[in-house]
């Protein structure tokens, strides 16, 4: 298997640079990154607590830098605007924001827009943003990029002749020291580190690129300083150190392949490397991978707890149906019965009203009473009396006089005389009207005309 | 003639891959070596009945030793495949039907019919079509149940995976044995 072609570094003029967050290849957690950064800042740290330990603080720095960098205006942002912009990106820990914002202002990562007192607008210091990027890169790749960059830069200053001899000596020594330190670290990890740590570490290294850079630098020194034995000696010792470094990188790779391959640990290689192998490797090479593999189907884990959950989830069905409770006072339960009840109540009310008019008498003159009721109560009362009179089961009859009584000023302008009579049942059980002369009038009774 | 498996590692690999291997595929010596190797890894080889094409034969499956049974459901250190709820209910019905006596061992248990599983699950509100699907697509491929032919009838029995059920699981299920779904006629 081989790495993807685009995993190598660019040309000698380009500086390898990881974007924020890094790529998946060799990605490490923020806690690991902070551990690397702790070693990086150790030369200038005041005490052991110089670097924060909470990865959330690092994420807050990243988010704040993004917010300030993405802000379209050049006048900066207020603290509230920064908080609001952070809120658009996701949930914000307000206590963390307050503490880190004030800390960044004190440290100069975030500066006041104008150097005045009580300035409320802030801008991001470019050096702080670059520092964040550097920490991301060094933290993620362990500084290997810087070593390659130094080799490349040393070669360029030798080639251009822009630096004096002392600078070239210093650069050559620094290159050798870096290679030597990395070789020692790899040797230590090959001996003592876990396979996972070794896998992560060896991914950062590119021995082919280091070899090419060192050989190119050696040729340049030989060509530009043919008579300077000290420089040639330094360049040669650099070659020796690079050889030692390359040996340790290969030892790390061998241990990873031996141990990882023997344990069939598929996480030794990156998913992209498997894809590359699937696309580019031959059938025989791919067959070798599966030669010693046993694939078994993932058997379900039937623990008693999950079994009990399933039993609890399904309850026995209710075989006896229970009528749901009737809704409270919604709609009419028996509209016909209600109409009949209202009809009976109306009838009872009319009968009682007639009895009230008659009192104990058999006949009563109601013309004056109706007139006094006014309109429309007089019409309603007369209708009720006529309805009662029309009912053969009721012992009442109403007589209307022929004479029309007209009074344009009264509430009831037109009215016939009205007489209510009580009827008594005959021998056949039929009601017989009580015939009596209308009180105080010569009007003819209407008995028999109903 | 099919060659016997004489490599203990290959035998263990086959047991894992197939969910149980009949004794006819290996010899006693290889089986003993495989059992020793499994024991070193915290596993045990358990006896079970393998039914290929309905014909029963003695076989072995890989189970967990009592002291090394993992509990990923509690530790959550790695993900395990868990059956969907209805398949778990169907498995509970199968256990309830095959294991009427709590004092006995669940395996090999009694034979039961597919219709009895469907009826028992239906009483709990489970759809018949989903129960059938769980039997065919979940429980049988997992080796929890297998089909057998007894007295000319097609019946179901607990499979090799049930034989490999850890002892701690059996003890735990015994504690709620009366809650395993089963018809009223089988209620203890």
């Amino acid at each position: 298997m081989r790495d993807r072609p685009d995993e190598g570094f660019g040309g000698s003029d380009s500086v390898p640079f990881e974007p924020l967050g890094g790529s998946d290849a060799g990605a490490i957690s923020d806690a690991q990154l902070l551990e690397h950064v702790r070693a990086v800042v150790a030369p200038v740290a005041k005490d052991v607590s110089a670097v924060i330990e909470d990865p959330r603080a690092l994420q807050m720095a990243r988010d704040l830098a993004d917010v300030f960098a993405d802000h379209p205006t050049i006048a900066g942002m207020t603290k509230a605007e920064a908080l609001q912009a952070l809120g658009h990106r996701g949930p914000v820990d307000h206590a963390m924001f307050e503490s880190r914002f004030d800390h960044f202002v004190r440290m100069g990562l975030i500066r006041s827009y104008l150097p005045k007192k009580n300035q409320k607008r802030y801008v991001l210091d470019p050096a702080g943003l670059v520092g964040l990027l550097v920490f991301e890169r060094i933290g993620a790749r362990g500084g290997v990029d810087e070593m390659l960059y130094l080799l490349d830069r040393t070669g360029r200053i030798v080639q251009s002749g822009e630096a004096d001899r002392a600078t070239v000596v210093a650069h050559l020594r620094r290159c050798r020291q870096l290679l030597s330190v990395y070789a020692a670290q790899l040797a230590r990890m090959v001996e003592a580190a876990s396979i996972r740590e070794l896998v992560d570490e060896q991914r950062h290294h590119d021995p082919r690129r280091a070899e090419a850079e060192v050989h190119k630098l050696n040729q340049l020194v030989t060509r530009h300083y043919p008579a300077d034995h000290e420089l040639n000696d330094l360049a040669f010792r650099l070659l020796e150190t690079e050889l030692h470094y390359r040996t340790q990188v290969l030892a790390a790779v061998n241990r990873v392949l031996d141990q990882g391959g023997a344990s069939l640990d598929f996480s030794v290689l990156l998913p992209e490397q498997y894809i590359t192998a699937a696309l580019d490797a031959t059938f025989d090479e791919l067959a070798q991978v599966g030669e010693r593999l046993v694939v078994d189907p993932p058997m379900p884990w039937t623990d008693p707890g999950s079994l009990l959950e399933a039993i609890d989830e399904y309850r026995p069905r209710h075989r006896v149906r229970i009528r749901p409770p009737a809704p409270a006072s919604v709609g009419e339960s028996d509209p016909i019965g209600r109409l009949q009840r209202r009809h009976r109540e109306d009838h009872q009310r009319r009968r009682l009203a007639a009895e009230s008019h008659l009192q104990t008498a058999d006949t009563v003159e109601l013309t004056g009473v109706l007139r006094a009721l006014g309109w429309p109560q007089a019409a309603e009362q007369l209708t009720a009396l006529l309805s009662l009179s029309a009912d053969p089961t009721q012992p009442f009859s109403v007589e209307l006089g022929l004479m029309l009584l007209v009074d344009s000023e009264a509430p009831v302008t037109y009215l016939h005389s009205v007489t209510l009579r009580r009827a008594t049942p005959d021998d056949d059980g039929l009601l017989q009207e009580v015939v009596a002369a209308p009180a105080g009038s010569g009007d003819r009774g209407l008995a028999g005309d109903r | 003639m099919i060659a016997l498996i004489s490599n203990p590692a290959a035998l263990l690999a086959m047991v894992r891959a197939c969910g149980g291997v009949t004794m006819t595929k290996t010899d006693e010596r290889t089986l003993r070596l495989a059992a020793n190797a499994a024991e070193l890894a915290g596993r045990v080889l358990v006896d079970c009945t393998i039914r290929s094409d309905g014909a029963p034969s003695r076989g072995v499956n890989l189970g967990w030793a009592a002291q090394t049974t993992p509990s990923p459901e509690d530790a959550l250190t790695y993900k395990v495949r868990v059956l969907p709820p209805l398949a778990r209910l169907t498995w509970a019905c199968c256990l309830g039907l095959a294991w009427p006596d709590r004092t006995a061992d669940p395996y090999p248990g009694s034979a039961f019919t597919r219709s009895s599983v469907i009826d028992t699950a239906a009483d709990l509100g489970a759809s018949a079509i989903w129960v059938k699907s769980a039997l065919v697509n979940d429980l049988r491929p997992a080796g929890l149940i297998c089909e057998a032919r007894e007295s000319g009838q097609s019946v179901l029995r607990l499979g090799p995976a049930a034989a490999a059920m850890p002892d701690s699981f059996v003890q735990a299920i015994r504690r709620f044995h009366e809650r395993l779904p089963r018809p009223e006629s089988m209620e203890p």
Side-chain angles (χ1 to χ4, degrees):
Chain A
M1 292 184 193
R2 63 175 178 78
D3 291 345
R4 288 173 66 128
D6 56 353
E7 277 193 346
F9 295 120
S12 58
D13 289 337
S14 67
V15 178
F17 199 77
E18 285 285 339
L20 270 175
S23 63
D24 286 341
I28 61 170
S29 68
D30 281 352
Q32 288 174 301
L33 189 145
L34 287 173
E35 197 174 326
H36 288 167
V37 169
R38 210 166 283 125
V40 172
V41 302
V44 293
K46 190 175 179 182
D47 53 36
V48 291
S49 62
V51 178
I52 43 111
E53 294 185 352
D54 189 351
R56 292 179 306 156
L58 177 63
Q59 190 57 43
M60 178 62 74
R62 284 190 193 119
D63 292 343
L64 267 175
D66 279 356
V67 163
F68 274 98
D70 289 341
H71 195 58
T73 66
I74 58 168
M77 306 172 78
T78 64
K79 191 175 176 182
E81 286 172 344
L83 179 61
Q84 190 179 12
L86 279 177
H88 292 316
R89 303 165 67 90
V92 182
D93 183 343
H94 286 258
M96 175 69 75
F97 170 78
E98 290 290 339
S99 68
R100 296 311 292 172
F101 193 93
D102 295 343
H103 173 73
F104 292 153
V105 170
R106 285 198 300 273
M107 294 286 287
L109 175 62
I110 299 171
R111 294 183 182 279
S112 299
Y113 183 67
L114 294 174
K116 291 181 179 177
K117 264 190 152 183
N118 301 320
Q119 261 296 313
K120 298 297 181 192
R121 301 197 75 81
Y122 299 94
V123 292
L124 187 69
D125 191 307
L129 183 59
V130 171
L132 192 58
L133 295 176
V134 169
F135 283 138
E136 296 272 3
R137 192 178 63 194
I138 294 176
R141 297 187 62 88
V144 175
D145 293 343
E146 272 56 37
M147 180 184 72
L148 295 169
Y149 176 68
L150 184 63
L151 285 169
D152 179 58
R153 178 162 171 71
T154 307
R156 273 191 283 156
I157 63 172
V158 170
Q159 190 170 20
S160 65
E162 62 187 23
D164 56 8
R165 183 179 175 281
T167 307
V168 174
V169 168
H171 272 72
L172 285 173
R173 279 189 178 149
R174 184 64 72 193
C175 288
R176 184 173 56 80
Q177 288 164 353
L178 271 173
L179 278 169
S180 176
V181 168
Y182 276 115
Q185 185 192 12
L186 282 166
R188 180 183 62 80
M189 294 185 77
V190 169
E191 287 294 323
S194 68
I195 188 75
R196 175 53 48 205
E197 290 171 334
L198 204 56
V199 166
D200 291 341
E201 180 64 28
Q202 63 91 16
R203 276 178 188 159
H204 300 153
H205 294 271
D206 187 354
R208 283 175 298 179
R209 169 97 187 273
E211 180 189 9
E213 293 287 349
V214 169
H215 278 261
K216 191 174 85 175
L217 183 58
N218 187 52
Q219 288 169 0
L220 286 171
V221 170
T222 307
R223 192 186 312 151
H224 286 85
Y225 302 97
D228 193 326
H229 296 295
E230 185 189 359
L231 282 179
N232 278 287
D233 183 51
L234 280 173
F236 180 71
R237 287 170 63 189
L238 185 63
L239 269 180
E240 285 182 328
T241 311
E242 185 277 327
L243 185 63
H244 182 52
Y245 164 76
R246 189 152 32 107
T247 305
Q248 296 307 324
V249 173
L250 292 176
V253 171
N254 284 337
R255 190 188 151 199
V256 166
L257 291 180
D258 287 348
Q259 197 166 331
S263 64
L264 292 175
D265 182 359
F266 286 93
S267 62
V268 166
L269 297 181
L270 296 171
E272 292 167 353
Q273 290 172 316
Y274 285 107
I275 294 172
T276 306
L279 293 174
D280 297 346
T282 64
F283 282 115
D284 290 339
E285 287 171 333
L286 290 175
Q288 284 177 6
V289 178
E291 201 172 34
R292 297 178 60 193
L293 289 184
V294 177
V295 179
D296 56 347
M299 287 297 170
W301 190 251
T302 53
D303 60 285
S306 64
L307 201 64
L308 200 56
E309 278 176 18
I311 295 171
D312 285 340
E313 193 172 329
Y314 288 86
R315 299 284 183 189
R317 281 180 179 173
H318 291 290
R319 291 187 175 82
V320 180
R321 286 189 168 188
I322 299 171
R323 189 173 181 171
S329 66
V330 176
E332 177 60 57
S333 58
D334 185 8
I336 294 175
R338 186 177 178 186
L339 279 175
Q340 290 173 336
R341 190 174 66 251
R342 284 178 60 183
H343 180 73
R344 283 196 303 273
E345 288 171 357
D346 287 347
H347 210 75
Q348 175 75 359
R349 199 161 43 247
R350 286 171 191 159
R351 201 172 62 78
L352 291 173
E355 290 286 359
S356 172
H357 286 309
L358 285 168
Q359 297 295 326
T360 55
D362 291 331
T363 180
V364 64
E365 169 63 37
L366 295 178
T367 309
V369 173
L370 292 176
R371 263 189 176 165
L373 283 174
W375 190 266
Q377 288 80 4
E380 290 171 0
Q381 187 68 49
L382 183 60
T383 308
L385 289 170
L386 290 173
S387 168
L388 201 62
S389 174
D391 187 350
T393 63
Q394 295 298 320
F396 302 105
S397 68
V398 172
E399 282 184 11
L400 297 177
L402 293 176
M403 185 185 294
L404 182 63
L405 304 173
V406 180
D407 184 354
S408 60
E409 302 297 327
V412 182
T413 51
Y414 297 91
L415 182 67
H416 288 270
S417 62
V418 179
T419 305
L420 176 66
R421 295 177 185 279
R422 187 191 305 274
T424 55
D426 57 9
D427 296 339
D428 299 330
L430 296 174
L431 291 172
Q432 182 69 41
E433 291 179 359
V434 176
V435 179
S441 77
D443 292 344
R444 189 167 61 88
L446 292 178
D449 292 345
R450 286 186 305 179
Chain B
M1 180 181 173
I2 300 172
L4 294 177
I5 300 170
S6 57
N7 185 339
L11 178 64
L12 287 173
M14 191 172 179
V15 171
R16 278 192 65 171
C18 302
V21 171
T22 61
M23 297 288 287
T24 56
K25 292 189 183 295
T26 186
D27 52 54
E28 285 291 337
R29 179 182 164 277
T30 309
L31 188 65
R32 194 171 61 252
L33 291 173
N36 291 338
E39 194 177 346
L40 290 174
R43 309 296 297 268
V44 287
L45 285 179
V46 293
D47 283 336
C48 63
T49 303
I50 304 291
R51 286 181 166 81
S52 54
D53 301 330
S57 62
R58 190 185 160 215
V60 288
N61 195 10
L62 206 55
W64 289 96
Q67 297 83 7
T68 55
T69 304
S71 55
E73 70 278 10
D74 297 328
L76 302 176
T77 48
Y78 57 91
K79 287 184 179 176
V80 287
R81 183 185 159 214
V82 178
L83 291 172
L86 198 100
R88 276 182 272 153
L89 177 79
T90 310
W91 169 233
C93 293
C94 294
L95 265 182
L97 290 163
W99 187 16
D101 181 6
R102 69 181 299 163
T103 59
D105 286 330
Y107 192 83
S110 314
F112 53 96
T113 60
R114 181 190 299 255
S115 58
S116 62
V117 179
I118 293 170
D119 290 345
T120 307
D123 278 345
L124 299 171
S127 164
I129 192 166
W130 290 110
V131 175
K132 284 181 196 169
S133 172
L135 286 171
V136 174
N137 299 321
D138 291 317
L139 303 186
R140 197 169 62 183
L144 290 167
I145 60 164
C146 59
E147 292 187 355
R149 193 144 192 94
E150 295 179 5
S151 307
Q153 288 189 333
S154 178
V155 294
L156 297 175
R157 275 191 172 275
L158 297 185
M165 205 157 48
D167 198 43
S168 57
F169 283 19
V170 173
Q171 297 302 333
I173 297 173
R174 240 186 210 118
R175 285 197 280 276
F176 58 88
H177 180 269
E178 76 284 355
R179 296 187 61 190
L180 291 175
R182 52 173 71 86
E184 287 181 7
S185 58
M186 285 182 66
E187 290 289 342

